[in-house]
Amino acid sequence: MRAEISFGKSLIGILFVGLAAAGCTTTPKPAATAAKTKTTQAKPAKVTFNYTAKDRDCLKRAMYFESQHSDEDGYLAVGTVVMNRLTSGAYPQSICGVVAQERQFAPGVMTREVKPQAEPELATAADAILLKGARHPAVKDAMFFHTDGLKFPYDNMHYVAVAGGNAFYEKRDSNGMLETPPPLPSYEVAMNYVPGESMLPPQFEALIPSAVPIPLPAPDPMATASTAPMRITAPVTAPVTPPEPSIAPEPGMPIAIPTPRPAYDSVMLRGSIATNGG
C-alpha cells in the first residue's frame, strides 16, 4: 500500500514538473507595434512675380540691344541681370519697369526695332528665363555691366563674366560684401503669367507713347547698363495711341535711384578680363 502511495506521489510530481517546465518555455506573443507614420517636410513657398506679354517683350528688347545682337549666351547673360534686379527688391517690381528705368539700359531700348531674324533665339532665351528659371551661371549676382574692353576708375567693380560683348560685374565694398540687396536664386522665384499690358510706374511716363511728339535718344552702340550718358537728337514723333495707366510703387517698397552712367572722358581702354565660364 505504501509503495502504491509513494508511486502515486512520484507520478504526480513528475507530471507537475513537466507542466511547469512547459509553462516556462512558452514564448509570449510580442506586443503590437505602433503604426508607422509618414512625415513630410513642407517646402518653402516661392516668391511669385507676375509678368505679361509686354514684360516678355521688354526682356527680349533688353537682351537684344544690350548684347550687341550676339547669341543666346549673350542674351541669357543680359536677361540674368534683368532678373537679378527684379528679384533684389531695390529696383522696380516689373520687368518693363526694370528695363525702362532711366539711364540704365541702352538708349531707345523700348522703341527701336528688333530685327525679325533674331526673334527665334530671343524667344528661346526669354522662355528659358521665364518658364524654366534659367540663369547664366557665370553672371551670379551681377546687376551691372558695360561694353567689354573699357575700364573705369572705381574700386567696387567686381568682375565675374564676359558674354555678348559685355563685361558683367557686382558692386562690392572693401569687405567684399554686395552694395546692393542680393537677388533671389532662381529656385526661390516663380514667374506667373497674367494677360494684359504691363503698366510702367510714373517715373517712366516719358517712355509711354502719347499724342505729343517726344524726343527719343539715338542708338548708341557703346551704351550699356549704368555706364554711358544718354544723347538726345532731333525729336521723333511717337505713335499716336491712348496713354497707358500708371501705377505707383507699393508703400515702403525700396526703389533704387538710377546711377548716372560715367562720362566717357573718364573711360580708358583695358584688356579683356578673364571669364569664369562665360
Side-chain angles (χ1 to χ4, degrees):
M1 184 67 178
R2 291 180 179 177
E4 292 177 356
I5 294 174
S6 176
F7 176 77
K9 289 181 179 180
S10 300
L11 182 59
I12 293 172
I14 292 172
L15 293 175
F16 178 79
V17 171
L19 291 173
C24 292
T25 58
T26 302
T27 304
K29 294 182 179 180
T33 57
K36 295 182 179 180
T37 57
K38 294 182 179 181
T39 57
T40 56
Q41 186 175 3
K43 295 182 179 180
K46 292 185 176 183
V47 180
T48 302
F49 293 85
N50 292 334
Y51 75 97
T52 65
K54 179 64 175 177
D55 288 308
R56 181 174 179 270
D57 180 68
C58 289
L59 178 61
K60 289 162 58 181
R61 285 180 162 275
M63 294 189 296
Y64 181 71
F65 291 112
E66 289 288 16
S67 65
Q68 301 180 12
H69 318 171
S70 60
D71 52 23
E72 286 193 35
D73 186 64
Y75 295 157
L76 189 61
V78 174
T80 299
V81 168
V82 174
M83 299 304 293
N84 283 350
R85 289 191 175 197
L86 175 69
T87 63
S88 73
Y91 291 86
Q93 296 298 294
S94 71
I95 294 176
C96 281
V98 169
V99 175
Q101 194 169 20
E102 187 178 2
R103 302 182 69 180
Q104 293 299 295
F105 287 87
V109 65
M110 299 291 287
T111 57
R112 292 159 61 188
E113 179 187 3
V114 177
K115 299 299 182 183
Q117 52 267 35
E119 283 291 345
E121 283 190 341
L122 284 172
T124 299
D127 290 341
I129 291 173
L130 297 174
L131 303 181
K132 301 177 182 178
R135 300 288 189 273
H136 195 291
V139 172
K140 300 179 181 178
D141 293 338
M143 299 185 206
F144 310 94
F145 59 90
H146 60 70
T147 302
D148 185 32
L150 302 180
K151 183 178 180 179
F152 296 89
Y154 307 112
D155 56 6
N156 64 343
M157 300 168 73
H158 177 71
Y159 290 95
V160 294
V162 171
N166 293 312
F168 295 82
Y169 63 95
E170 302 165 344
K171 287 186 178 180
R172 294 184 177 273
D173 59 22
S174 57
N175 296 320
M177 302 297 293
L178 285 173
E179 295 180 353
T180 51
L184 295 175
S186 61
Y187 57 80
E188 292 185 8
V189 175
M191 299 303 297
N192 178 51
Y193 174 77
V194 293
E197 291 294 316
S198 177
M199 293 182 292
L200 298 179
Q203 61 262 41
F204 307 122
E205 288 179 350
L207 296 172
I208 301 175
S210 63
V212 180
I214 55 176
L216 298 175
D220 185 353
M222 298 296 290
T224 52
S226 305
T227 59
M230 297 179 68
R231 299 177 182 176
I232 306 300
T233 59
V236 178
T237 303
V240 179
T241 56
E244 297 181 8
S246 61
I247 57 174
E250 296 181 8
M253 180 66 67
I255 298 296
I257 300 175
T259 303
R261 307 181 182 209
Y264 270 101
D265 55 6
S266 65
V267 177
M268 300 176 291
L269 291 177
R270 64 175 179 81
S272 178
I273 65 173
T275 62
N276 183 13

